[in-house]
Amino acid sequence: MAITQSLEKYQYFQQRVQPLLEIIYDQSTVQTLLKQIFEILQDYSSDFHEENLNKWSQDNILLITYGNSIEKFGEQPLLTLKNFLDKYLKDTITGVHILPFFPYSSDDGFSVIDYLKVNPQLGDWEDIENIANQFDLMADLVINHISSQSDWFQQFQQGEKPGSDYFITVDPSTDLSAVVRPRSTPVITPVDTPEGEKHVWATFSEDQIDLNFANPNVLLEFIKIILIYVQKGSKYIRLDAVGFLWKEIGTSCIHLPQTHAVVKLLRELLQLVNPSVVLITETNVPNRENLSYLGNRNEAHMIYNFSLPPLVLHALIQGKSDYLKTWMMSMPPAPLGCAYFNFTASHDGIGLRPTEGLLSEQEYWTMLETMKKFGGKVSMRTKPDGSESPYELNISLFDAMKGTVRGEDKWQVQRFLCSQTIMMSLEGIPAFYIHSLLATPNDYIKLKQTGINRSINRSKLDLNELENKLSHPNSPQSIVFRELCRRIQIRRHQTAFHPNATQYTLQLKRVLFGFWRQSIIRDQSIFCIFNLTDQPQVLRLSDLNLVCTDPWCDLISGETVDNIYSCLNLHPYQAIWLTNKF
């Protein structure tokens, strides 16, 4: 009986996994690889599971933070983070994305030296698991590249196994002009080895060496790593820069079929082992390319909504909804078992490639110039023709809201709150970067210290100084933090804000942005209306076609609507959640 069950289990596994492996490797490799992967899975699951379609609800709210974004003298940062979460956010957020918490050599963690160790300057695995016991943990799988200081790359440089076979070497005379670049640095970098100088693929920097997934042993290594992260309590696995994973000379080397097959494979394996785990892809690319990572509801469970940050920023500095509304109307509902990951700021800058085809050239350059006036920087990338173009804006989102295209004004706090409320109202799961939740301004000191544009939005906050600001009711940090927490807590109880609840764009005057959400079981509707300007605006309730048999109330202000044929007066940058169930 046991042998029969084992055979049936393997056949089920083979049926799910073999077609994906055949996209990536030749047939002779696939048969061996199937057995190796099956053996690995046996250590993590005695039973295989069907898909879980109830991974999330309106209650899911994530925080994005480094392990040491908040520091306290004499205390391990991960303990400081845990204490801060317990004290200030236990009733507000449900999950936390701790950006790479491993030993690293550059890029603030995204050049990983050892995937299986916690950076001792942050804490240890016990600290990570303590956070994961109380909050849904998102862990980064930095899958495209590894630090030049890692054991694998040191083995490559010394000609030793297994690392000697884990990287991609390229003849420096090879034409790589078709390769899509996210940076202006060379795509290959020279390295000394016992066999002489070799040139290895390095998409992001000379310290971040791309791994060779054409070698199936590299895939096996990452399957083991991802399963250990799940074992340590990770509920979300973020595939960093995954779009660049597979290389093929003569192509763009981005979004290749093998890359999509690897993502599908990882989803399949996670589903077999632990169907509650969510796989999320990080692909900072134009909107259509980004959407491709949902596959046919068989690839990523979630994708970053990369077009949202620049379009919300544009709408609020221009005071008009045209481009944001057009994009939103073009966005398909997330497929069954999938969701959008909504954010307006992160540890990286505001990506500009996701605006391609969405903003006019004039509006695009006006946005860039406005951000420069507010202290922001613009990072560049090299295009296939050798020219450079803007890749991302580097600025604290709070300071990005200092004013409009007309200049700075007095509405920074209100404008910023409006931006965050738009984000948390949309279809999808909202995530707040810690420096947005805390209204952190541009960090010019860190920028000067590192010379790296992204440092402007990667502050390390002293806990005592932060708590002092939060204790002063009139400080921008206190106002923003208290009000965002209040709105988040309201949002978590509304069934119409389920990540997959119906969403319909409203046709209002251009100074307003509005959409309608309806819960999956249709027991609640919410009209989300936002004044994008620094002037009062009038909303005719007849434009919303409210049902007259229901009482209506704005959840944010608490104001009730007695006459559905009257008008609402919106203050500058006011947000309204008008609902029939409260």
Side-chain angles (χ1 to χ4, degrees):
M1 179 66 72
I3 295 175
T4 302
Q5 289 177 339
S6 179
L7 179 60
E8 290 176 350
K9 185 176 180 181
Y10 181 77
Q11 290 173 339
Y12 176 74
F13 162 81
Q14 183 180 32
Q15 179 185 6
R16 305 299 295 262
V17 173
Q18 182 169 336
L20 298 172
L21 289 177
E22 289 175 344
I23 298 173
I24 310 169
Y25 302 108
D26 60 65
Q27 190 62 41
S28 60
T29 301
V30 167
Q31 293 306 313
T32 301
L33 199 52
L34 270 172
K35 294 182 174 61
Q36 291 174 310
I37 296 174
F38 185 77
E39 290 177 3
I40 292 170
L41 295 191
Q42 300 314 294
D43 294 333
Y44 295 90
S45 175
S46 58
D47 298 304
F48 287 161
H49 304 275
E50 294 293 333
E51 184 175 7
N52 175 10
L53 297 177
N54 298 302
K55 290 184 175 70
W56 45 68
S57 73
Q58 65 276 4
D59 194 46
N60 295 105
I61 308 286
L62 272 78
L63 176 75
I64 304 168
T65 180
Y66 282 102
N68 60 352
S69 289
I70 302 174
E71 296 181 322
K72 180 180 179 181
F73 181 76
E75 187 171 83
Q76 289 282 61
L78 286 173
L79 178 57
T80 302
L81 174 62
K82 173 67 163 55
N83 291 338
F84 183 84
L85 296 175
D86 289 343
K87 182 175 180 179
Y88 291 98
L89 291 170
K90 65 179 180 180
D91 297 323
T92 302
I93 66 165
T94 59
V96 56
H97 173 199
I98 307 177
L99 292 155
F101 45 78
F102 317 103
Y104 71 96
S105 53
S106 63
D107 198 17
D108 285 342
F110 285 92
S111 185
V112 177
I113 294 175
D114 190 330
Y115 292 98
L116 299 181
K117 291 182 180 178
V118 174
N119 183 351
Q121 295 181 6
L122 298 177
D124 54 29
W125 274 116
E126 184 178 356
D127 294 313
I128 294 294
E129 291 177 277
N130 285 339
I131 293 174
N133 287 336
Q134 188 164 344
F135 301 92
D136 292 338
L137 175 68
M138 181 184 292
D140 282 287
L141 188 66
V142 185
I143 194 169
N144 178 71
H145 50 265
I146 194 170
S147 168
S148 64
Q149 297 182 27
S150 64
D151 285 347
W152 290 347
F153 195 67
Q154 295 300 308
Q155 292 165 2
F156 174 85
Q157 289 183 293
Q158 295 161 17
E160 299 174 355
K161 301 286 186 180
S164 58
D165 300 324
Y166 280 9
F167 300 92
I168 304 165
T169 58
V170 184
D171 186 320
S173 64
T174 304
D175 181 7
L176 300 175
S177 59
V179 176
V180 170
R181 301 303 322 289
R183 299 288 185 271
S184 295
T185 54
V187 71
I188 57 174
T189 189
V191 179
D192 290 327
T193 75
E195 300 174 1
E197 185 179 72
K198 293 185 178 181
H199 288 76
V200 294
W201 203 291
T203 298
F204 290 89
S205 77
E206 62 182 9
D207 183 50
Q208 295 165 292
I209 314 300
D210 289 40
L211 289 146
N212 182 15
F213 275 82
N215 179 347
N217 289 323
V218 173
L219 176 65
L220 290 173
E221 296 275 17
F222 276 92
I223 290 173
K224 295 173 186 175
I225 292 167
I226 198 172
L227 292 175
I228 289 172
Y229 291 177
V230 172
Q231 190 179 58
K232 294 291 188 181
S234 300
K235 295 293 180 63
Y236 301 85
I237 302 292
R238 176 184 181 271
L239 300 182
D240 177 67
V242 68
F244 300 97
L245 181 139
W246 195 272
K247 282 76 176 178
E248 196 168 301
I249 303 299
T251 73
S252 65
C253 296
I254 188 171
H255 315 319
L256 297 186
Q258 295 91 335
T259 294
H260 285 284
V262 169
V263 178
K264 291 174 183 177
L265 173 68
L266 294 179
R267 171 172 172 150
E268 199 66 57
L269 298 180
L270 287 173
Q271 180 175 303
L272 291 172
V273 172
N274 187 337
S276 67
V277 175
V278 175
L279 191 68
I280 176 169
T281 51
E282 187 263 340
T283 50
N284 190 356
V285 293
N287 197 50
R288 186 181 297 274
E289 298 173 33
N290 189 35
L291 287 168
S292 71
Y293 283 86
L294 292 175
N296 183 21
R297 61 170 298 267
N298 61 348
E299 202 162 334
H301 296 106
M302 294 199 303
I303 61 171
Y304 276 73
N305 216 342
F306 271 109
S307 295
L308 182 61
L311 290 177
V312 167
L313 174 62
H314 171 270
L316 286 164
I317 64 171
Q318 288 282 5
K320 59 184 181 183
S321 61
D322 307 46
Y323 293 94
L324 181 60
K325 183 170 68 175
T326 298
W327 163 77
M328 185 166 162
M329 291 173 66
S330 72
M331 286 291 284
L336 180 68
C338 302
Y340 295 120
F341 187 75
N342 293 330
F343 71 111
T344 50
S346 72
H347 61 290
D348 289 339
I350 298 172
L352 294 171
R353 289 210 66 207
T355 68
E356 291 178 14
L358 300 177
L359 287 180
S360 71
E361 187 172 355
Q362 180 181 351
E363 302 271 359
Y364 173 88
W365 288 106
T366 298
M367 182 170 68
L368 266 61
E369 291 304 315
T370 302
M371 292 303 101
K372 288 179 182 178
K373 291 176 182 177
F374 296 163
K377 303 293 181 182
V378 178
S379 294
M380 309 295 284
R381 73 181 183 97
T382 300
K383 298 168 68 175
D385 62 5
S387 64
E388 288 195 335
S389 67
Y391 178 70
E392 67 182 16
L393 288 168
N394 301 111
I395 190 170
S396 140
L397 188 65
F398 185 62
D399 274 1
M401 298 292 169
K402 277 184 176 179
T404 68
V405 292
R406 298 188 301 275
E408 295 185 25
D409 58 27
K410 65 179 182 179
W411 299 106
Q412 182 180 16
V413 168
Q414 292 83 354
R415 188 181 294 113
F416 181 76
L417 288 171
C418 183
S419 74
Q420 301 308 284
T421 311
I422 290 173
M423 183 271 288
M424 75 170 94
S425 306
L426 290 165
E427 176 194 347
I429 296 174
F432 294 84
Y433 185 39
I434 193 165
H435 293 304
S436 293
L437 205 58
L438 298 172
T440 308
N442 291 332
D443 191 336
Y444 297 113
I445 295 176
K446 189 170 184 181
L447 174 64
K448 185 176 181 180
Q449 289 173 342
T450 67
I452 299 171
N453 287 347
R454 285 179 168 178
S455 295
I456 200 170
N457 193 30
R458 295 180 176 180
S459 293
K460 293 181 181 178
L461 305 175
D462 177 79
L463 179 62
N464 292 331
E465 293 179 6
L466 173 60
E467 290 191 320
N468 186 47
K469 291 177 181 177
L470 294 179
S471 67
H472 284 73
N474 296 324
S475 74
Q477 288 70 36
S478 178
I479 294 170
V480 167
F481 184 71
R482 283 185 287 108
E483 182 58 18
L484 282 181
C485 287
R486 186 182 76 88
R487 294 185 188 189
I488 291 169
Q489 289 164 11
I490 293 171
R491 182 204 184 277
R492 288 178 58 181
H493 296 287
Q494 314 310 317
T495 55
F497 283 142
H498 186 283
N500 300 113
T502 299
Q503 179 171 282
Y504 179 80
T505 309
L506 301 175
Q507 301 302 315
L508 306 173
K509 53 187 178 181
R510 68 190 317 204
V511 294
L512 301 177
F513 177 53
F515 48 92
W516 172 70
R517 304 291 310 276
Q518 186 182 60
S519 62
I520 294 173
I521 60 174
R522 300 185 179 183
D523 66 330
Q524 183 187 39
S525 291
I526 299 179
F527 289 88
C528 307
I529 315 291
F530 308 91
N531 180 359
L532 302 177
T533 74
D534 57 7
Q535 300 296 317
Q537 301 294 338
V538 176
L539 170 69
R540 295 184 305 177
L541 290 176
S542 59
D543 291 339
L544 305 182
N545 295 318
L546 301 180
V547 178
C548 62
T549 56
D550 291 338
W552 293 87
C553 174
D554 172 24
L555 293 170
I556 296 176
S557 69
E559 183 179 339
T560 57
V561 172
D562 298 320
N563 181 359
I564 64 170
Y565 301 105
S566 63
C567 294
L568 287 181
N569 296 309
L570 277 68
H571 304 300
Y573 302 108
Q574 184 176 354
I576 289 177
W577 286 338
L578 196 60
T579 184
N580 62 335
K581 182 181 178 183
F582 50 94

